[in-house]
Amino acid sequence: MQTFHELEQTQSVIATILRNSLQTNRINHAYIFTGDYEPLLLEAAQLFAKSLFCERRDQIEPCQVCRSCRRMDSGNLVDYYQIEPDGATIKKEQIQQLMHDLSLRGLEGDRQIYVVTQSHKMTPQAANSLLKFFEEPGAGKVAILITNQPQLLLPTIRSRGQLLSFRPADRLLIGQVLSEKTGRDNELTQLAARVYPKIEDAEQALVEDWFVNARVSVVQLMEELANRPADLPLFVQEKWMSQFKNRQDARIGLELVTCFFEDVLHLKLNPSWETITYANSRPLLEQMGGKSQTTITRWLQAVLAAVKRIEANVNPQLTVERLMFDLQKG
Ligand SMILES: [Zn+2]
């Protein structure tokens, strides 16, 4: 993301707030960027920093060609600092080192910007060190804390920063990014992006064979439903329960089924629908689309109800058995 114009396409509120800050030159000393997709938050933070450092800023957009813009692009801008977890946590020593570096004053200008990625991973000691600094930040210093779990930040930290909540990222886009990162096929990455709320979990799932097999089981279940509905209970007993053992797995399995029914419905309502998730199962989707819209909607409602039961701690096996009964009724 190189421009605010780009940011505005998906995050208009955030873009407007940052635009106002830049235009009025009222820059806070601490921001908290929160949203479900950290890479996007980091890109937005870097864009904001680039504009703040730019020597020939046009309104709010960085010029992209001045010395600061070029240094920002190459990661060589000395007054821009970025820290990330060292292992599982961000440690007190890391924050202290950062504070020490910042205390050496702006090396090139009167502004210093530091970004803390996955800031919820600060240890309590690290957070307390940062907090002390927040209380007396000094002129020209801007903190941007990035997190997808703002509830884990110390309340005292949260209350001192301006919280900017990004809209959920576009799952289609995330699927593409995951596909590039993991080398898995597009259908699988789209599914992972849809059923895992957290991107890290989706990425983790994609490197494991379990998720590949989960998709296979879902398609098999749908084939049973389409061709041999009377055999559904047997299939669940012999195959489904061994794939989706615990509550978390059961939820993922049912979310995958939800995606399938959504595809069936989309194709039924609009045969030229492009963005189906189970693209490799198109013949089966079309076959099931031969059912009435009422039946498909009932299927969808039944599986959504099952997801709710799982979340309400009902036994997964009972939940799935009841779902099969509901699906058979059609
Ligand atoms: Zn510039």
Side-chain angles (χ1 to χ4, degrees), residues 50-51 53-57 61-70:
K50 197 173 178 182
S51 264
F53 282 125
C54 177
E55 295 153 27
R56 291 200 293 272
R57 194 167 81 210
E61 299 287 6
C63 75
Q64 314 288 1
V65 293
C66 73
R67 193 181 51 161
S68 292
C69 282
R70 280 182 285 123

Side-chain angles (χ1 to χ4, degrees), residues 234-247:
L234 190 66
F235 177 81
V236 164
Q237 223 173 36
E238 291 187 344
K239 295 262 180 67
W240 189 269
M241 291 314 295
S242 59
Q243 173 73 30
F244 303 98
K245 289 194 184 96
N246 58 41
R247 185 171 302 278

Side-chain angles (χ1 to χ4, degrees), residues 19-36:
R19 179 193 299 274
N20 281 342
S21 295
L22 286 164
Q23 280 173 340
T24 57
N25 206 25
R26 282 223 285 266
I27 311 297
N28 277 320
H29 71 85
Y31 294 88
I32 300 168
F33 284 13
T34 169
D36 63 343

Side-chain angles (χ1 to χ4, degrees), residues 221-222 225-226 229 232 236 254 257 261 288 291 295-304 306 320-330:
L221 181 79
M222 294 295 103
L225 175 62
L232 277 176
V236 164
L254 295 179
V257 172
F261 286 142
M288 292 173 80
K291 295 277 184 184
T295 299
I296 300 167
T297 310
R298 276 207 206 110
W299 282 342
L300 192 53
Q301 282 166 343
V303 68
L304 289 171
V320 174
E321 282 169 2
R322 172 161 172 196
L323 171 64
M324 294 310 127
F325 180 72
D326 290 341
L327 293 180
Q328 278 175 320
K329 279 192 302 186

Side-chain angles (χ1 to χ4, degrees), residues 82-93:
Q82 191 175 307
I83 63 171
E84 57 194 46
D86 173 17
T89 56
I90 296 172
K91 299 179 176 60
K92 185 182 173 187
E93 294 72 34

